[in-house]
C-alpha cells in the first residue's frame, strides 16, 4: 500500500486526511488528498515538504513518502 509510513505517523498523531485538507499551506481538497493516498495522483515535492514541515519535522521526506 502506498505511503504506509505517512499513514502510520498520522495515526500516531491522530491526524486524518480531513485534517490535512484543512491545512491552508497545503491547499488541497479532501478528494485530492484521498486520491494521493490511494495512488491515483502523485504528491508534488511542495506538498510533501509542507506535510513534513507542518506535522512531522523530525521525520525525513524519504521516510514519510517511501
Amino acid at each position: 500500500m502506498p505511503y504506509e509510513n505517512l499513514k502510520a505517523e498520522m495515526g500516531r498523531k491522530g491526524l486524518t486526511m480531513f485534517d490535512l485538507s484543512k491545512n491552508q499551506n497545503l491547499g488541497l481538497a479532501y478528494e485530492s488528498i484521498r486520491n494521493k493516498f490511494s495512488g491515483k495522483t502523485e504528491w508534488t515535492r511542495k506538498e510533501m515538504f509542507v506535510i513534513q514541515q507542518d506535522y512531522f519535522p523530525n521525520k525525513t521526506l524519504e521516510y514519510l513518502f517511501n
Side-chain angles (χ1 to χ4, degrees), residues 5-60:
N5 292 339
L6 178 57
K7 291 175 187 174
E9 294 298 332
M10 287 175 63
R12 288 183 187 99
K13 286 196 168 204
L15 291 171
T16 65
M17 286 187 268
F18 184 73
D19 294 327
L20 294 181
S21 73
K22 294 189 288 185
N23 183 319
Q24 295 293 322
N25 294 328
L26 196 54
L28 293 172
Y30 173 78
E31 184 174 330
S32 296
I33 291 172
R34 190 179 65 211
N35 286 339
K36 290 174 185 288
F37 271 101
S38 71
K40 289 181 182 179
T41 57
E42 293 186 21
W43 295 98
T44 66
R45 191 81 172 155
K46 179 185 179 244
E47 292 163 350
M48 291 188 284
F49 184 74
V50 168
I51 290 172
Q52 187 253 347
Q53 289 296 303
D54 287 2
Y55 299 104
F56 310 106
N58 296 324
K59 305 293 180 191
T60 66

